[in-house]
PDB file of all heavy atoms in Angstrom:
ATOM      1  N   LEU A1472      33.236  15.863 -28.246  1.00  0.00           N
ATOM      2  CA  LEU A1472      33.169  14.849 -29.300  1.00  0.00           C
ATOM      3  C   LEU A1472      33.509  15.446 -30.667  1.00  0.00           C
ATOM      4  O   LEU A1472      34.443  14.998 -31.340  1.00  0.00           O
ATOM      5  CB  LEU A1472      31.789  14.204 -29.320  1.00  0.00           C
ATOM      6  CG  LEU A1472      31.619  13.015 -30.267  1.00  0.00           C
ATOM      7  CD1 LEU A1472      32.587  11.884 -29.927  1.00  0.00           C
ATOM      8  CD2 LEU A1472      30.180  12.506 -30.269  1.00  0.00           C
ATOM      9  N   ASN A1492      27.463   2.683 -27.248  1.00  0.00           N
ATOM     10  CA  ASN A1492      28.764   2.821 -27.916  1.00  0.00           C
ATOM     11  C   ASN A1492      28.728   3.790 -29.083  1.00  0.00           C
ATOM     12  O   ASN A1492      29.774   4.328 -29.468  1.00  0.00           O
ATOM     13  CB  ASN A1492      29.251   1.455 -28.405  1.00  0.00           C
ATOM     14  CG  ASN A1492      29.579   0.519 -27.255  1.00  0.00           C
ATOM     15  OD1 ASN A1492      30.080   0.945 -26.218  1.00  0.00           O
ATOM     16  ND2 ASN A1492      29.300  -0.771 -27.449  1.00  0.00           N
ATOM     17  N   TYR A1493      27.558   4.014 -29.650  1.00  0.00           N
ATOM     18  CA  TYR A1493      27.446   4.870 -30.833  1.00  0.00           C
ATOM     19  C   TYR A1493      26.385   5.946 -30.575  1.00  0.00           C
ATOM     20  O   TYR A1493      25.401   5.717 -29.878  1.00  0.00           O
ATOM     21  CB  TYR A1493      27.072   4.061 -32.074  1.00  0.00           C
ATOM     22  CG  TYR A1493      28.127   3.047 -32.470  1.00  0.00           C
ATOM     23  CD1 TYR A1493      28.102   1.753 -31.975  1.00  0.00           C
ATOM     24  CD2 TYR A1493      29.157   3.404 -33.346  1.00  0.00           C
ATOM     25  CE1 TYR A1493      29.067   0.834 -32.328  1.00  0.00           C
ATOM     26  CE2 TYR A1493      30.134   2.486 -33.710  1.00  0.00           C
ATOM     27  CZ  TYR A1493      30.087   1.206 -33.199  1.00  0.00           C
ATOM     28  OH  TYR A1493      31.060   0.299 -33.548  1.00  0.00           O
ATOM     29  N   LEU A1494      26.631   7.087 -31.192  1.00  0.00           N
ATOM     30  CA  LEU A1494      25.738   8.231 -31.053  1.00  0.00           C
ATOM     31  C   LEU A1494      25.348   8.730 -32.434  1.00  0.00           C
ATOM     32  O   LEU A1494      26.213   8.985 -33.286  1.00  0.00           O
ATOM     33  CB  LEU A1494      26.431   9.354 -30.269  1.00  0.00           C
ATOM     34  CG  LEU A1494      25.621  10.626 -30.028  1.00  0.00           C
ATOM     35  CD1 LEU A1494      24.457  10.343 -29.079  1.00  0.00           C
ATOM     36  CD2 LEU A1494      26.521  11.742 -29.457  1.00  0.00           C
ATOM     37  N   LEU A1505      26.885   9.328 -37.694  1.00  0.00           N
ATOM     38  CA  LEU A1505      27.072   8.252 -36.737  1.00  0.00           C
ATOM     39  C   LEU A1505      28.490   8.335 -36.184  1.00  0.00           C
ATOM     40  O   LEU A1505      29.460   8.336 -36.954  1.00  0.00           O
ATOM     41  CB  LEU A1505      26.841   6.890 -37.389  1.00  0.00           C
ATOM     42  CG  LEU A1505      25.435   6.626 -37.948  1.00  0.00           C
ATOM     43  CD1 LEU A1505      25.349   5.213 -38.496  1.00  0.00           C
ATOM     44  CD2 LEU A1505      24.381   6.848 -36.881  1.00  0.00           C
ATOM     45  N   TRP A1506      28.595   8.368 -34.848  1.00  0.00           N
ATOM     46  CA  TRP A1506      29.881   8.534 -34.201  1.00  0.00           C
ATOM     47  C   TRP A1506      30.161   7.350 -33.271  1.00  0.00           C
ATOM     48  O   TRP A1506      29.302   6.912 -32.502  1.00  0.00           O
ATOM     49  CB  TRP A1506      29.913   9.830 -33.384  1.00  0.00           C
ATOM     50  CG  TRP A1506      30.093  11.048 -34.256  1.00  0.00           C
ATOM     51  CD1 TRP A1506      29.144  11.706 -34.965  1.00  0.00           C
ATOM     52  CD2 TRP A1506      31.323  11.710 -34.520  1.00  0.00           C
ATOM     53  NE1 TRP A1506      29.673  12.755 -35.661  1.00  0.00           N
ATOM     54  CE2 TRP A1506      31.028  12.784 -35.397  1.00  0.00           C
ATOM     55  CE3 TRP A1506      32.640  11.530 -34.112  1.00  0.00           C
ATOM     56  CZ2 TRP A1506      32.006  13.659 -35.864  1.00  0.00           C
ATOM     57  CZ3 TRP A1506      33.623  12.415 -34.577  1.00  0.00           C
ATOM     58  CH2 TRP A1506      33.298  13.464 -35.444  1.00  0.00           C
ATOM     59  N   ASP A1507      31.422   6.861 -33.399  1.00  0.00           N
ATOM     60  CA  ASP A1507      31.935   5.873 -32.465  1.00  0.00           C
ATOM     61  C   ASP A1507      32.523   6.638 -31.284  1.00  0.00           C
ATOM     62  O   ASP A1507      33.581   7.275 -31.394  1.00  0.00           O
ATOM     63  CB  ASP A1507      33.006   5.013 -33.143  1.00  0.00           C
ATOM     64  CG  ASP A1507      33.543   3.914 -32.234  1.00  0.00           C
ATOM     65  OD1 ASP A1507      33.189   3.908 -31.031  1.00  0.00           O
ATOM     66  OD2 ASP A1507      34.317   3.070 -32.711  1.00  0.00           O
ATOM     67  N   VAL A1508      31.816   6.575 -30.150  1.00  0.00           N
ATOM     68  CA  VAL A1508      32.194   7.392 -29.005  1.00  0.00           C
ATOM     69  C   VAL A1508      33.496   6.893 -28.392  1.00  0.00           C
ATOM     70  O   VAL A1508      34.326   7.686 -27.918  1.00  0.00           O
ATOM     71  CB  VAL A1508      31.054   7.389 -27.962  1.00  0.00           C
ATOM     72  CG1 VAL A1508      31.461   8.155 -26.722  1.00  0.00           C
ATOM     73  CG2 VAL A1508      29.793   7.986 -28.568  1.00  0.00           C
ATOM     74  N   THR A1509      33.696   5.595 -28.391  1.00  0.00           N
ATOM     75  CA  THR A1509      34.902   5.048 -27.757  1.00  0.00           C
ATOM     76  C   THR A1509      36.173   5.579 -28.437  1.00  0.00           C
ATOM     77  O   THR A1509      37.153   5.935 -27.765  1.00  0.00           O
ATOM     78  CB  THR A1509      34.879   3.517 -27.823  1.00  0.00           C
ATOM     79  OG1 THR A1509      33.674   3.035 -27.224  1.00  0.00           O
ATOM     80  CG2 THR A1509      36.093   2.930 -27.115  1.00  0.00           C
ATOM     81  N   HIS A1510      36.138   5.655 -29.773  1.00  0.00           N
ATOM     82  CA  HIS A1510      37.305   6.127 -30.515  1.00  0.00           C
ATOM     83  C   HIS A1510      37.157   7.568 -30.986  1.00  0.00           C
ATOM     84  O   HIS A1510      38.033   8.074 -31.705  1.00  0.00           O
ATOM     85  CB  HIS A1510      37.556   5.224 -31.730  1.00  0.00           C
ATOM     86  CG  HIS A1510      37.784   3.777 -31.363  1.00  0.00           C
ATOM     87  ND1 HIS A1510      36.764   2.866 -31.252  1.00  0.00           N
ATOM     88  CD2 HIS A1510      38.932   3.104 -31.078  1.00  0.00           C
ATOM     89  CE1 HIS A1510      37.252   1.687 -30.930  1.00  0.00           C
ATOM     90  NE2 HIS A1510      38.584   1.802 -30.806  1.00  0.00           N
ATOM     91  N   ALA A1511      36.026   8.234 -30.603  1.00  0.00           N
ATOM     92  CA  ALA A1511      35.780   9.618 -31.011  1.00  0.00           C
ATOM     93  C   ALA A1511      35.941   9.787 -32.520  1.00  0.00           C
ATOM     94  O   ALA A1511      36.645  10.691 -33.011  1.00  0.00           O
ATOM     95  CB  ALA A1511      36.695  10.572 -30.247  1.00  0.00           C
ATOM     96  N   LYS A1512      35.303   8.895 -33.276  1.00  0.00           N
ATOM     97  CA  LYS A1512      35.454   8.863 -34.720  1.00  0.00           C
ATOM     98  C   LYS A1512      34.079   8.782 -35.385  1.00  0.00           C
ATOM     99  O   LYS A1512      33.209   8.026 -34.946  1.00  0.00           O
ATOM    100  CB  LYS A1512      36.309   7.658 -35.110  1.00  0.00           C
ATOM    101  CG  LYS A1512      36.514   7.487 -36.595  1.00  0.00           C
ATOM    102  CD  LYS A1512      37.353   6.246 -36.885  1.00  0.00           C
ATOM    103  CE  LYS A1512      37.551   6.043 -38.373  1.00  0.00           C
ATOM    104  NZ  LYS A1512      38.352   4.828 -38.680  1.00  0.00           N
ATOM    105  N   LYS A1513      33.918   9.583 -36.459  1.00  0.00           N
ATOM    106  CA  LYS A1513      32.669   9.504 -37.220  1.00  0.00           C
ATOM    107  C   LYS A1513      32.695   8.279 -38.103  1.00  0.00           C
ATOM    108  O   LYS A1513      33.614   8.095 -38.924  1.00  0.00           O
ATOM    109  CB  LYS A1513      32.477  10.767 -38.053  1.00  0.00           C
ATOM    110  CG  LYS A1513      31.160  10.772 -38.809  1.00  0.00           C
ATOM    111  CD  LYS A1513      30.852  12.119 -39.440  1.00  0.00           C
ATOM    112  CE  LYS A1513      31.777  12.429 -40.601  1.00  0.00           C
ATOM    113  NZ  LYS A1513      31.367  13.648 -41.338  1.00  0.00           N
ATOM    114  N   VAL A1514      31.678   7.443 -37.995  1.00  0.00           N
ATOM    115  CA  VAL A1514      31.616   6.189 -38.731  1.00  0.00           C
ATOM    116  C   VAL A1514      31.072   6.420 -40.140  1.00  0.00           C
ATOM    117  O   VAL A1514      31.647   5.967 -41.134  1.00  0.00           O
ATOM    118  CB  VAL A1514      30.777   5.162 -37.968  1.00  0.00           C
ATOM    119  CG1 VAL A1514      30.650   3.860 -38.758  1.00  0.00           C
ATOM    120  CG2 VAL A1514      31.370   4.904 -36.594  1.00  0.00           C
TER     121      VAL A1514
END
Side-chain angles (χ1 to χ4, degrees):
L1472 187 60
N1492 293 324
Y1493 296 90
L1494 180 68
L1505 298 183
W1506 283 81
D1507 183 352
V1508 176
T1509 304
H1510 301 89
K1512 179 181 179 181
K1513 183 170 70 172
V1514 177

